[in-house]
Amino acid sequence: MNDSAKAGNLPAGEGTRAVRAGLPEPEKYEPTLPGPVFAAHFHLPGEPTGPYTYGRDENPTWTHLERAIGELEAPGQDGVETLAFASGMAAISSVLFSQLSAGDAVVLPSDGYQALPLVRAQLEAYGIEVRTAPTGGDAQLGVLDGAKLLWIESPSNPGLDVCDIRRLVEAAHGRGALVAVDNTLATPLGQRPLALGADFSVASGTKQLTGHGDVLLGYVTGRAGEPMTAVRRWRKIVGAIPGPMEAWLAHRSIATLQLRVDRQTAAALAVAEALRGRPEVTGLRYPGLPDDPSHKVASQQMRRYGCVVSFTLPTRERAERFLEALRLVDDATSFGGVRSTAERRGRWGGDAVPEGFIRMSVGAEDPEDLVADVLRALEESAR
């Protein structure tokens, strides 16, 4: 792992780790979290042997953030590194395009993030075979033979299916394939893919990791070695780097991660339980519900179930009336923020969901207020 000032001595509590992660050794009269370093180049006399040479390669502000994320994704593990990117898609692309070449095969989820079809088209244009299967039921096992890379998204976005990551990792490694897990929806406080055997944990830090809807960011955490070296090389080649201000804001925001995640998870469960008894609601999914199809597997590998609830209303028009009637929930895309959002996911056209399908991201508002708002909006939308 990237060495952090007191990482080895930090207590095991997740809140403590989130607050302290990535901080440098204290220095008299210096801030506890140094400000962003804005530099395209650094003083570099003689041979370039130091850590910082040029702003596309390394930056001290990234270093603090990458150490912090690494301490959350793989606490106490040596030989693990994290690389920050300009967005979640930059991080996803870095793994796929650095590990695969013409003639290789990759397995993607058929029910994953809506940008994956665009990625598929580009991979196929480069001569890479793309196979897909749903997340649920560990269906990707059926198309794994001969693949070089397995891409897992669990829970899936937006359908919230879960697969047995350990089982898929063991099968993939047994066939010589690498495994990457999109950990965006779970966050490192929900699950740790590397502890489940994966080679890469990839996420959009735009979502709950930073949690305020004001930063675009991505990251890749993996075991040190040639695969991560290739990811780093890809970042250098394409220049998909975060700005120093974004990296600093992300690190600052991580300090409240446990507080936000615990609050939002509890509120998401309350909203899901309130929706469960509504006759107009079908297809309700939340892994934290004991009767959810994914609950058994999720409870074996997740410590928290996330902030996203999905469900379907009878028609597109009903869904749109519901969204318009909400007062505490913004009609917006993305998820994981402290302010609740919801959207009719079908409006984007990239997800195989019904017209009345709603993806709701539960924020940090009082759970009873959110439940009341959702129930009132359901009533109003019926008129």
Side-chain angles (χ1 to χ4, degrees):
M1 179 184 295
N2 290 324
D3 292 329
S4 171
K6 298 181 179 178
N9 299 320
L10 283 180
E14 290 184 322
T16 301
R17 186 178 293 115
V19 169
R20 306 294 304 180
L23 297 181
E25 286 280 8
E27 291 189 27
K28 192 173 184 178
Y29 306 126
E30 293 295 323
T32 55
L33 176 61
V37 175
F38 299 98
H41 59 265
F42 301 82
H43 288 294
L44 197 64
E47 293 299 316
T49 57
Y52 304 111
T53 59
Y54 185 63
R56 191 182 67 250
D57 298 331
E58 293 289 350
N59 178 287
T61 311
W62 305 352
T63 299
H64 294 311
L65 172 64
E66 290 168 347
R67 287 173 177 170
I69 294 172
E71 289 165 24
L72 298 178
E73 283 279 357
Q77 291 189 36
D78 295 324
V80 172
E81 60 180 312
T82 296
L83 297 171
F85 288 82
S87 68
M89 280 308 302
I92 290 170
S93 299
S94 76
V95 174
L96 292 169
F97 291 105
S98 70
Q99 306 302 313
L100 299 167
S101 56
D104 290 336
V106 61
V107 176
L108 301 180
S110 59
D111 54 344
Y113 179 52
Q114 67 162 2
L116 288 182
L118 298 176
V119 174
R120 175 177 186 165
Q122 192 62 56
L123 289 167
E124 291 176 336
Y126 288 157
I128 297 164
E129 178 189 355
V130 180
R131 308 170 189 166
T132 62
T135 298
D138 300 341
Q140 289 175 300
L141 288 172
V143 293
L144 194 53
D145 286 349
K148 185 175 181 181
L149 176 68
L150 167 63
W151 189 274
I152 293 171
E153 190 175 301
S154 182
S156 62
N157 172 29
L160 303 183
D161 267 328
V162 171
C163 62
D164 186 334
I165 295 175
R166 288 187 187 90
R167 182 187 181 201
L168 268 67
V169 166
E170 289 176 4
H173 285 171
R175 292 166 171 83
L178 294 170
V179 181
V181 177
D182 187 327
N183 206 35
T184 303
L185 202 147
T187 82
L189 298 193
Q191 68 187 9
R192 297 192 185 114
L194 269 60
L196 298 172
D199 301 287
F200 304 101
S201 181
V202 188
S204 168
T206 307
K207 312 298 194 296
Q208 198 170 19
L209 185 83
T210 57
H212 292 78
D214 54 9
V215 173
L216 284 173
L217 192 88
Y219 70 85
V220 179
T221 299
R223 294 178 178 83
E226 177 51 35
M228 280 299 289
T229 299
V231 173
R232 182 183 294 275
R233 185 166 56 244
W234 181 264
R235 183 178 71 171
K236 179 183 177 72
I237 292 169
V238 301
I241 57 173
M245 192 67 196
E246 286 79 7
W248 184 87
L249 285 169
H251 194 176
R252 178 213 59 176
S253 299
I254 285 174
T256 62
L257 181 61
Q258 190 220 24
L259 298 174
R260 292 184 281 106
V261 167
D262 283 350
R263 171 76 168 209
Q264 290 171 258
T265 300
L269 180 59
V271 169
E273 288 174 337
L275 290 169
R276 187 162 50 178
R278 298 292 303 196
E280 67 271 67
V281 171
T282 59
L284 174 65
R285 296 301 303 271
Y286 182 67
L289 288 172
D291 57 351
D292 186 271
S294 292
H295 180 73
K296 181 178 179 180
V297 174
S299 64
Q300 294 169 353
Q301 64 192 23
M302 298 183 73
R303 305 188 311 285
R304 295 169 177 84
Y305 299 107
C307 64
V308 176
V309 177
S310 67
F311 57 97
T312 300
L313 294 176
T315 64
R316 169 178 177 168
E317 292 73 22
R318 178 71 185 273
E320 290 174 344
R321 292 197 302 271
F322 167 74
L323 293 169
E324 186 176 357
L326 291 166
R327 296 172 185 167
L328 297 179
V329 183
D330 297 330
D331 190 342
T333 194
S334 197
F335 59 85
V338 291
R339 290 173 290 278
S340 293
T341 61
E343 67 173 336
R344 191 182 66 81
R345 194 64 185 163
R347 65 181 176 175
W348 297 103
D351 297 307
V353 296
E355 285 293 305
F357 181 94
I358 300 290
R359 185 185 71 180
M360 180 175 179
S361 171
V362 178
E365 299 91 351
D366 289 308
E368 56 269 25
D369 291 339
L370 281 175
V371 168
D373 191 41
V374 167
L375 295 180
R376 180 195 50 75
L378 283 174
E379 294 293 341
E380 288 189 13
S381 66
R383 298 171 189 164

